[in-house]
Amino acid sequence: MAVKGRDIALRAASAAVLAPAAVAATWFGGVWFLALVLAASVVLSFEWGAMSAPRARRTVGGAVALAVMAAVVSAYFGVMSVAFVVLVFGAAAAGLYARKQGQQAIDAAYGVLYLGWPSVLLIWLRDGESPVGLHWTALVFAVTWSADILAYLAGSTFGGPKLWPRYSPNKTWSGFVGGILAGAVAGAVLTAWFDMGRLTIFWGAILGLAAALATMAGDLWESALKRRFGVKDAGNTIPGHGGLLDRVDGMMFAVVVVAAGRLAVLLLERGAS
């Protein structure tokens, strides 16, 4: 119990330091949010290099980071088509470089797409300093955090059958149900609270539920990747939490769903005008 208590205290201390900085950068948007996403991209890329190419972790991690950062900067300046082209060619370049280093080319190439796609979409969602962009980005965070927290609490309280014991033995169906319900509630609450355009409370709940499902899928997918690479954690970047990838794996999938919802709302608004 003492060890568990120290672990919880360490996790809380790390969250108390990192969360306010992330919230502040998201609130102010613009270059502050760009800096946050770029910094996270670098950390995630080097964690990916350490997992997927342990004999060339720095060089492969650096190649992945350069490709992801180039795509993120392109998205920040509003050239989304260029950002996606950069991702594709960056993935190919990182793969070729990893192959020259004697590592698996497919792992490096996949790392660029795996990390770059949600990073680009986050920049697109935040949309500079736009208040509406802030609302949609807050929706991503609220749904992801609610799903993660309630899944943990429900799973710890009720236990029951395991969700996917082969890859993630600690996750349960009770936690899964608690997580998706929490995501639906978070989606409805934020839609009622913020200006989300033509997104109604009902559809906000549906979007929150879908994003929570994506959060769970992202968490399970990262567990499968770690099993493939033979590692327990993505890294030790955050004391008490493991790697940054261990904290944002679900969010990386959730942002894709929320971005699709935002795109659907934009299309509806344009069709009505």
Side-chain angles (χ1 to χ4, degrees):
M1 291 296 292
V3 173
K4 186 176 181 180
R6 286 197 298 270
D7 181 60
I8 293 174
L10 189 58
R11 285 171 174 250
S14 298
V17 172
L18 295 175
V23 170
T26 304
W27 176 269
F28 290 113
V31 294
W32 296 103
F33 191 69
L34 172 65
L36 173 69
V37 175
L38 286 175
S41 298
V42 171
V43 173
L44 291 170
S45 296
F46 279 97
E47 288 182 354
W48 182 262
M51 281 200 308
S52 64
R55 289 182 288 121
R57 61 180 65 192
R58 290 187 178 87
T59 53
V60 171
V64 172
L66 285 174
V68 174
M69 290 171 68
V72 166
V73 171
S74 299
Y76 177 75
F77 285 106
V79 194
M80 293 301 295
S81 57
V82 173
F84 293 130
V85 170
V86 168
L87 274 181
V88 173
F89 281 94
L96 290 173
Y97 182 77
R99 186 176 180 182
K100 289 182 178 180
Q101 299 294 311
Q103 305 299 300
Q104 290 289 332
I106 189 66
D107 290 337
Y110 176 71
V112 173
L113 300 176
Y114 178 51
L115 304 176
W117 176 252
S119 300
V120 165
L121 290 179
L122 266 178
I123 292 292
W124 177 75
L125 267 182
R126 185 59 187 87
D127 191 20
E129 299 176 4
S130 163
V132 175
L134 173 61
H135 300 164
W136 282 92
T137 309
L139 179 64
V140 175
F141 292 151
V143 168
T144 304
W145 293 342
S146 299
D148 278 342
I149 292 169
L150 265 295
Y152 174 78
L153 292 177
S156 300
T157 302
F158 301 108
K162 301 300 182 181
L163 181 60
W164 198 6
R166 179 180 178 184
Y167 291 112
S168 191
N170 295 324
K171 292 179 176 58
T172 62
W173 279 102
S174 61
F176 173 79
V177 172
I180 61 173
L181 291 178
V185 171
V189 169
L190 262 75
T191 304
W193 191 7
F194 289 142
D195 175 15
M196 310 292 287
R198 294 175 65 88
L199 188 69
T200 65
I201 295 176
F202 172 78
W203 286 108
I206 296 299
L207 182 60
L209 188 147
L213 280 170
T215 299
M216 304 295 175
D219 196 3
L220 289 171
W221 182 248
E222 198 232 352
S223 295
L225 289 172
K226 288 190 293 187
R227 180 65 62 91
R228 176 178 181 271
F229 294 130
V231 298
K232 181 178 182 294
D233 293 316
N236 56 3
T237 308
I238 308 175
H241 288 276
L244 180 59
L245 185 57
D246 296 316
R247 297 299 94 204
V248 301
D249 50 5
M251 184 181 295
M252 289 165 56
F253 277 44
V255 69
V256 178
V257 172
V258 175
R262 173 62 172 148
L263 180 60
V265 169
L266 286 173
L267 292 174
L268 281 174
E269 290 173 347
R270 289 175 185 174
S273 61

